[in-house]
Amino acid sequence: MGIRGGGMSYQFPFGRIVNPVVQKDQTPKKVFVLGVYASAVHAKWIKNNRIICKALAVASEPCIFWDGNLNEAKKIIDKIKIPNGQGRLEPACSHLNGPSAKVLENKILAPLGFTRSDAWLCDCLPETRLNPGQLRFISNVYNKYVEDFGFNKVTIPKRPTNFCNEERAEEIIAELIKSEAQLLVLLGDIPIKQFLKKVANIQYASLQEYVKLYGYGSITEATINGKILKVLPLAHPRQIGALGSHSKKWYEKHEKWVEGESIKTKDAYHHL
């Protein structure tokens, strides 16, 4: 993938390889959704009946914007082997696997009159990266097991600042064209600044600037690769779903949009 280069493979805790997570159903779609970067399957690590970690990233998601299905999580986690005597893994609590997918389906696609089958899903970076919480645990706890018990070294990079370089932008354009979607939904600032701003002549580089110009939830147009598309920037699922640390402002703006303004947005799009 363009952002990565070198053909290097990265390893999760307990040895699974990081895989790109991309759209599997590549038939024509009505809407193209661009997020930031792929999440992961999270497991609870238990040793001697004590929880060592409530939610450790241990494998790539089975599909893009995975919904955290418990049976799928269990099948994936059961295949991961821990050295003898070093505990066991089980799926993390339900709200820690796939929360963004639930937000996407219920708070973004449904208000627009779409289902998941109508959508082509994509991320600026199609692989997981380590957020600060995962980094701290690996540095402070997991790495001691690397030294003392021969656990594999975790080689996943930390969460970057650049998720979408020029090469990756071209890959996303190719997916966008293949999707045949007429509506592009952008989730948060990064897809706006690092993708759309690179490939289209637009006046804004953040959601805040977009809202100031057009209002939250308003559809505008942008020309990408010679094709005029409808564009709808929205807040990131973390904000929309109040997932952990989040912005109350964006949560409330989106809730207002879901409650009534999304009808206007849907009508504006479906009657074009």
Side-chain angles (χ1 to χ4, degrees), residues 113-176:
F114 297 125
T115 64
R116 190 181 177 106
S117 63
D118 295 317
W120 186 300
L121 308 178
C122 184
D123 281 313
C124 289
L125 177 59
E127 294 182 353
T128 194
R129 291 293 182 263
L130 296 178
N131 63 34
Q134 295 285 320
L135 278 171
R136 281 194 299 272
F137 177 81
I138 289 167
S139 176
N140 296 335
V141 180
Y142 181 88
N143 283 348
K144 294 178 182 178
Y145 286 79
V146 173
E147 296 173 4
D148 296 342
F149 300 101
F151 281 25
N152 70 286
K153 187 176 180 180
V154 177
T155 55
I156 306 171
K158 68 178 181 179
R159 185 183 187 275
T161 55
N162 181 19
F163 294 86
C164 182
N165 59 18
E166 300 293 340
E167 183 183 350
R168 178 59 187 154
E170 290 300 318
E171 293 171 351
I172 295 170
I173 288 174
E175 285 194 50
L176 182 56

Side-chain angles (χ1 to χ4, degrees), residues 186 192-193 195-214 220-223 231 233:
L186 303 157
I192 296 171
K193 184 176 182 179
F195 173 70
L196 191 62
K197 189 71 174 175
K198 278 188 172 79
V199 302
N201 183 19
I202 56 174
Q203 301 177 51
Y204 51 92
S206 69
L207 183 59
Q208 180 61 48
E209 291 176 9
Y210 185 90
V211 170
K212 187 175 180 180
L213 288 168
Y214 308 109
T220 57
E221 291 184 342
T223 301
V231 175

Side-chain angles (χ1 to χ4, degrees), residues 219-249:
I219 290 178
T220 57
E221 291 184 342
T223 301
I224 301 176
N225 202 46
K227 181 179 179 180
I228 298 175
L229 292 170
K230 302 300 175 184
V231 175
L232 175 60
L234 295 172
H236 188 274
R238 172 178 284 276
Q239 319 300 346
I240 293 171
L243 304 175
S245 176
H246 66 281
S247 164
K248 182 179 178 182
K249 178 185 79 171

